[in-house]
Structure formats: C-alpha cells, structure tokens
C-alpha cells in the first residue's frame, strides 16, 4: 500500500513542480519536501488540493501540517505523508467494512 501511495504522491509532485525537476532526483520515502524538493507554500496548497481530490476530506494536508511545529514541517519527508495517508485510508476502509458511519449519514 505504501508504494502505491508513494507513486501517487510522486505523480502529484510531478504535476505540481514539473517532471524535469523530479527526474533529476528520485522521490523516496526519505525525500524531504523542503530541502530535497524545495516545495514552496503555494505548491503545498496545490498538493493539498490534489490529495483532497484523490483521497477525500479525511486526508487534510493543512490540518496535518498544523499539528507540527516549524522545524518539523521543514524536516518533513514524503514518507511521513505516505504514512499519514496510509493510516487515514486504512481507518476509512475499516470503518466502511464495519458498516460505520458514512458521509451521507446524518
């Protein structure tokens, strides 16, 4: 599952920053958003939108970042985001399999 999520995030990053940049540096779980990819805030917003579109409202990148201090955000790796998405999607799948509340429940 993590390799699938990593591939999807890599595809999103290529869409955001362009493939010529990412071809020079393979994106791995240890790749950092700040030092390795030099992602700017507007690019984080674009990534958040793509993640929301792909995974739904449960994967809230801005909420995830809000839980971190500035040093943790600057040091964050792609692997941390992959793990976060994996936890969210596993929880959502488990909830759906158990017949838990859905978005249409009121």
């Amino acid at each position: 599952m993590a390799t699938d999520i990593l591939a999807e995030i890599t595809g999103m990053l290529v869409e955001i920053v362009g493939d010529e940049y990412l071809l020079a540096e393979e994106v791995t779980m240890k790749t950092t958003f700040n030092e390795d990819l030099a992602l700017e805030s507007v690019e984080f917003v674009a990534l958040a939108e793509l993640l929301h579109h792909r995974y739904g409202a449960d994967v809230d990148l801005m909420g995830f970042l809000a839980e971190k201090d500035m040093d943790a955000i600057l040091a964050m790796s792609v692997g941390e985001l992959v793990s976060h998405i994996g936890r969210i999607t596993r929880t959502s799948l488990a909830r759906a399999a158990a017949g838990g509340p859905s978005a249409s429940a009121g």
Side-chain angles (χ1 to χ4, degrees), residues 22-57:
L22 290 176
L23 288 176
E25 186 73 37
E26 181 183 345
V27 176
T28 69
M29 296 289 274
K30 293 182 180 180
T31 301
T32 61
F33 287 101
N34 183 50
E35 191 170 319
D36 296 329
L37 298 176
L39 236 58
E40 296 184 17
S41 57
V42 68
E43 293 165 329
F44 263 112
V45 171
L47 179 59
E49 290 175 9
L50 291 173
L51 290 170
H52 179 83
H53 179 73
R54 168 59 181 92
Y55 295 104

Side-chain angles (χ1 to χ4, degrees), residues 56-71:
D58 287 344
V59 175
D60 175 13
L61 178 59
M62 294 302 138
F64 180 61
L65 293 175
E67 297 173 0
K68 299 179 175 294
D69 65 22
M70 186 55 73
D71 289 338

